[in-house]
Amino acid sequence: MTSRLLLALPYFTVVVLIVLGLAVMLSKRNVVKILMGLSLMESAVNLFLVATGYRHDSVAPIFTNVPAGPMALPTVQALTLTSIVIGVATSAMMLSFAMVIYKKYGTTDIQKIKKLKG
Amino acid sequence: MRHVLFSAILLLFFGGLMYLAADLPFGDPPRTDMDDYFLRNAQAQTGANNVVTSIVFDFRGFDTLGEATVLFTAVLGVGMMFRKLKEGEEYEND
Amino acid sequence: MKMTKIVRTTADLFFPFCLVFGLYVVVHGHLTPGGGFQGGAVMATGTALLLVARSYDDVTGRIRKGAMKACEAAGLLIFLCAGFSGLFAGRPFMANWLAPDSALFRTAVAHGPNAGDLNTAGLLPLLNFGVGIEVLGGLTVILLYMLSGIKEEKKP
């Protein structure tokens, strides 16, 4: 069991990060902390994508002065790059929304923002 | 009571995901046809040493165009939220 | 609130190096790890460094918001024009028509591991540059906007 855990350690790290992010998002009331949980889950997804494309003893898929050997899969790395940039854009949007909410309501507690409830 | 239920559901979720993750092969991806094609032909077709760049900007150029547009739109949105408020317009705080 | 002179001087000292390193990452995007997005983010980090060390008014005196907006729009425009240039060359949209054997960026690259040559990869360096400029402008404008929001909050 332990060797199995070590063999697929990145995937288990992904699971731990996703569950932690979900727990933070569901249990916290502060908007900024909820966004932190969301960012944590985003990082977990990025890690999952990169881990999917790893081959044993492989090098990065860049041919400049590279040692001989297998190369890691490039497509998932390209998709991860896209995902990171979209993540930065959405994080900036959400944090701006949090700032506007704080300006309008004077609090970031989602329980106290009554006006958003219907 | 609610906390116990919450923790139990989270633990169940954690266990299920762990069970799924244990079956994934790490370090030995099963189907690599597309990636092998990119690794073989990227240098000949795009002339770039960096295969990831050649995928992002050439093979999947449309994807990157959309990505750049999303970044542009996000900046527009942030700018709209932090614009200078006009006369008589304000964040009411009642 | 003002940072000490040590912090401010160090930030001033490191700012050009941030820009140069980011530009290096952008320009070598088709040879080494990195590319437009990463290099642009590194360049925007320099602005963040200045914002941490100095006040908002100091930074906006040095980095104009309008110029950064122009940077961003110019980056996306470069990207689009490079994409449409394929149509004028008789190839599809976004086609890398400079790449295999055409004077600028068109040296054929050796197959397999090689030392790398900047003058390769056809349209890719141009696209990298456009995206790098766009990310630099976009992230800097986001940082400046957020800090201006904080400043307005503290005034009354």
Side-chain angles (χ1 to χ4, degrees):
Chain A
M1 183 59 202
T2 315
S3 65
R4 181 113 198 216
L5 195 88
L6 282 179
L7 206 65
L9 193 58
Y11 291 135
F12 291 119
T13 315
V14 166
V15 172
V16 169
L17 283 178
I18 281 187
V19 172
L20 272 180
L22 199 68
V24 168
M25 279 178 73
L26 291 179
S27 62
K28 295 292 176 189
R29 289 177 179 180
N30 195 328
V31 174
V32 179
K33 285 178 184 170
I34 291 173
L35 294 185
M36 282 180 180
L38 199 66
S39 296
L40 204 60
M41 287 179 81
E42 213 175 271
S43 314
V45 172
N46 291 339
L47 179 62
F48 176 72
L49 274 174
V50 172
T52 311
Y54 182 72
R55 279 194 265 218
H56 285 302
D57 302 321
S58 61
V59 294
I62 294 162
F63 283 102
T64 310
N65 296 327
V66 77
M71 282 184 170
L73 308 189
T75 314
V76 281
Q77 300 195 10
L79 288 180
T80 309
L81 184 55
T82 309
S83 159
I84 288 173
V85 175
I86 303 291
V88 167
T90 50
S91 295
M93 278 299 278
M94 289 185 298
L95 285 171
S96 311
F97 271 124
M99 285 174 76
V100 170
I101 283 175
Y102 182 75
K103 266 185 200 166
K104 189 167 165 57
Y105 295 98
T107 177
T108 50
D109 192 332
I110 54 171
Q111 303 274 328
K112 289 178 186 160
I113 304 172
K114 292 274 199 310
K115 276 190 180 174
L116 290 184
K117 290 184 184 170
Chain B
M1 184 57 205
R2 278 186 63 196
H3 290 286
V4 175
L5 198 66
F6 180 67
S7 311
I9 290 174
L10 267 187
L11 268 180
L12 209 67
F13 188 64
F14 180 72
L17 279 184
M18 275 294 204
Y19 178 74
L20 288 179
D23 281 344
L24 287 173
F26 179 68
D28 188 22
R31 302 279 306 199
T32 61
D33 306 355
M34 181 175 64
D35 300 272
D36 286 337
Y37 175 83
F38 285 149
L39 285 175
R40 265 199 315 276
N41 295 320
Q43 276 186 310
Q45 289 183 4
T46 68
N49 272 342
N50 189 340
V51 182
V52 178
T53 299
S54 67
I55 288 176
V56 166
F57 287 107
D58 194 328
F59 291 111
R60 290 176 181 261
F62 262 136
D63 194 10
T64 310
L65 180 60
E67 191 183 343
T69 314
V70 165
L71 191 65
F72 193 80
T73 316
V75 175
L76 281 186
V78 173
M80 200 181 70
M81 265 184 270
F82 288 117
R83 74 194 187 284
K84 283 210 173 61
L85 296 178
K86 272 184 273 181
E87 204 64 34
E89 185 190 14
E90 58 182 10
Y91 302 108
E92 69 263 37
N93 189 357
D94 49 340
Chain C
M1 190 184 72
K2 224 173 180 187
M3 287 280 181
T4 59
K5 200 176 182 95
I6 298 173
V7 175
R8 277 182 280 141
T9 313
T10 312
D12 283 355
L13 210 63
F14 271 102
F15 178 62
F17 287 105
C18 272
L19 289 189
V20 169
F21 181 65
L23 201 64
Y24 160 78
V25 171
V26 170
V27 169
H28 287 72
H30 55 293
L31 297 177
T32 56
F37 291 107
Q38 297 93 323
V42 171
M43 286 195 271
T45 308
T47 315
L49 193 66
L50 275 191
L51 281 176
V52 167
R54 288 176 171 274
S55 71
Y56 176 77
D57 295 325
D58 270 9
V59 174
T60 41
R62 195 179 310 186
I63 301 166
R64 305 263 173 216
K65 208 186 273 180
M68 285 297 136
K69 278 181 192 164
C71 251
E72 193 201 359
L76 195 57
L77 210 60
I78 287 174
F79 196 97
L80 278 174
C81 288
F84 276 112
S85 70
L87 292 180
F88 296 108
R91 301 276 303 274
F93 180 65
M94 291 293 295
N96 197 349
W97 55 280
L98 276 173
D101 50 352
S102 71
L104 192 66
F105 299 136
R106 66 181 183 178
T107 313
V109 72
H111 195 70
N114 57 347
D117 181 5
L118 263 184
N119 192 17
T120 55
L123 223 51
L124 294 196
L126 202 61
L127 294 175
N128 258 326
F129 183 71
V131 167
I133 292 288
E134 192 203 340
V135 173
L136 163 71
L139 290 187
T140 308
V141 165
I142 286 177
L143 284 171
L144 289 178
Y145 267 130
M146 285 190 162
L147 206 80
S148 71
I150 289 174
K151 197 191 73 171
E152 279 174 18
E153 183 62 33
K154 278 181 180 168
K155 202 180 274 177

